[in-house]
């Protein structure tokens, strides 16, 4: 749901001097999608649109690591979030919502809640964790999917390097180890106002194929970056981000994916404590309400091309 490909910098700029601090991050976005649907050999072309609005408020502020969109690997700031997502494919549409929050107590305890509605299905999560040090977090969570319940455990570790550089590791699994997701991220200051991040995600599904995804983002300056992601199915994403000021950023992205192969270790609107894959039912709204199509889901192949444009305001 991240190992270095770069040479360690010979000269590090001062992180403190370049850091910015924000209390809120709000994003609004629009996506245009082209679906290529194959059902038992029959091909169908569908058009779709997606609208997203989400905001997070941090009670004591978040400090950047240099680039205006990069923050510490392990969040330690209490926060609340709200999100709205509208998905439409031809005449089908769905409105999804999420409200989430995290509280970090002074004694190291962490309390979290995530109330999400996706395609009229409620996915509710409560979490309890402990921050052993500023670089190591352990969290247990319980998720109610309406028709099923799961318990998850997450380990997150940040290994500091020179300056603000770090390599972080994250492991999430259900209590039966039927699904396990390992991810890692590396951040480095290349000097001269340039930065680089690399990422790796690997998912192990019991009784199914494993899945991996890699990504990298190069920051020309604190305000401008180009990133790409690639996975084992040759799905990919290309994105360009630019901050016109310290508060306003625009991102344009193009991606391709197979709906059943795209790893997703985030719930809608917030980091989640469960791991899973995006299904055809999640991509096409109201598909689960069609009995015939629901039964045919295992025989459906879905390829998607997606163009995204989003505006972010950081205050």
């Amino acid at each position: 749901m991240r190992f270095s490909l770069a040479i360690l910098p010979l000269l590090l700029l001062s992180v403190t001097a370049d850091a910015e601090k924000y209390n809120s991050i709000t994003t609004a976005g629009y996506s245009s999608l082209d679906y290529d649907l194959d059902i038992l050999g029959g091909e169908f072309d569908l058009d779709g649109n997606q609208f997203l609005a989400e905001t997070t408020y941090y009670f004591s502020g978040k400090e950047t690591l240099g680039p205006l969109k990069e923050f510490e690997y392990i969040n330690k700031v209490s926060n609340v979030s709200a999100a709205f997502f509208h998905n439409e494919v031809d005449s089908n549409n769905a409105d999804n919502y999420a409200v989430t929050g995290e509280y970090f107590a002074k004694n190291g305890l962490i309390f979290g809640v995530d109330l999400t509605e996706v395609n009229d299905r409620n996915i509710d999560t409560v979490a309890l964790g402990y921050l052993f040090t500023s670089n190591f977090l352990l969290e247990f969570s319980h998720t109610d999917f309406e028709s099923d319940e799961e318990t998850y455990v997450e380990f997150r570790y940040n290994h500091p390097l020179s300056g603000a550089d770090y390599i972080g590791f994250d492991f999430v699994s259900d209590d039966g180890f039927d699904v396990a997701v390992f991810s890692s991220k590396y951040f480095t200051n290349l000097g001269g106002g340039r930065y680089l991040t690399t990422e790796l995600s690997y998912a192990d599904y019991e009784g199914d194929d494993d899945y991996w995804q890699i990504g990298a983002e190069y920051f020309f300056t604190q305000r401008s970056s180009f990133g790409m992601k690639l996975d084992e199915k040759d799905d990919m994403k290309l994105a360009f981000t630019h901050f016109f000021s310290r508060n306003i950023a625009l991102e344009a992205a193009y991606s391709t994916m197979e709906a059943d192969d795209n790893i997703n270790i985030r719930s809608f609107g917030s980091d989640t404590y469960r791991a899973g894959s995006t299904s055809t039912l999640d991509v096409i709204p109201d598909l689960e309400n069609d009995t015939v199509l629901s039964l045919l889901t295992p025989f459906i192949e879905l390829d998607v091309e997606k163009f995204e444009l989003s505006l972010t305001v950081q205050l």
Side-chain angles (χ1 to χ4, degrees), residues 130-294:
Y130 188 74
L131 192 66
F132 289 88
T133 72
S134 60
N135 293 312
F136 179 63
L137 176 150
L138 171 65
E139 201 152 37
F140 294 93
S141 62
H142 184 79
T143 300
D144 182 357
F145 297 98
E146 286 192 345
S147 61
D148 192 14
E149 295 182 357
E150 290 287 354
T151 300
Y152 299 92
V153 60
E154 176 180 14
F155 300 88
R156 176 164 282 216
Y157 173 70
N158 175 72
H159 182 68
L161 301 172
S162 301
D165 294 8
Y166 70 81
I167 181 168
F169 303 94
D170 187 89
F171 178 78
V172 182
S173 175
D174 63 356
D175 54 1
F177 289 93
D178 297 320
V179 177
V181 177
F182 169 81
S183 60
S184 181
K185 180 176 180 178
Y186 175 76
F187 170 83
T188 185
N189 184 336
L190 298 173
R194 298 170 298 116
Y195 305 84
L196 178 72
T197 66
T198 59
E199 301 180 56
L200 166 69
S201 297
Y202 175 80
D204 181 13
Y205 300 102
E206 184 175 298
D208 204 347
D209 294 335
D210 297 344
Y211 176 90
W212 59 261
Q213 182 185 85
I214 57 175
E217 187 166 12
Y218 176 74
F219 295 83
F220 306 96
T221 67
Q222 289 180 310
R223 297 187 175 191
S224 301
S225 65
F226 175 78
M228 68 174 298
K229 291 184 178 180
L230 180 69
D231 70 7
E232 64 169 330
K233 299 297 183 180
D234 293 329
D235 297 338
M236 64 97 177
K237 180 177 181 178
L238 304 175
F240 177 77
T241 305
H242 178 69
F243 279 78
F244 294 93
S245 69
R246 69 176 296 274
N247 302 114
I248 300 176
L250 188 67
E251 178 178 288
Y254 167 78
S255 58
T256 64
M257 62 174 280
E258 294 181 25
D260 287 329
D261 296 321
N262 187 47
I263 190 172
N264 178 17
I265 54 175
R266 286 172 57 88
S267 67
F268 172 68
S270 175
D271 287 339
T272 191
Y273 311 100
R274 65 186 181 89
S277 61
T278 302
S279 70
T280 306
L281 294 179
D282 290 327
V283 174
I284 301 182
D286 295 333
L287 180 58
E288 72 274 17
N289 296 325
D290 189 309
T291 304
V292 176
L293 286 179
S294 295

Side-chain angles (χ1 to χ4, degrees), residues 7-73:
I7 300 174
L8 289 176
L10 298 177
L11 178 64
L12 294 176
L13 297 182
S14 169
V15 175
T16 303
D18 295 335
E20 297 280 358
K21 193 172 184 178
Y22 300 98
N23 281 95
S24 68
I25 301 176
T26 302
T27 298
Y30 166 76
S31 299
S32 175
L33 301 96
D34 179 22
Y35 298 93
D36 184 5
L37 188 64
D38 187 306
I39 305 179
L40 296 174
E43 296 186 357
F44 304 88
D45 290 324
L46 303 173
D47 295 323
N49 298 283
Q50 294 178 345
F51 302 90
L52 168 70
E54 61 180 334
T55 185
T56 301
Y57 179 80
Y58 297 95
F59 289 95
S60 59
K62 292 280 288 182
E63 217 172 70
T64 66
L65 299 179
L68 299 185
K69 63 181 290 189
E70 286 295 315
F71 301 89
E72 60 184 354
Y73 184 70

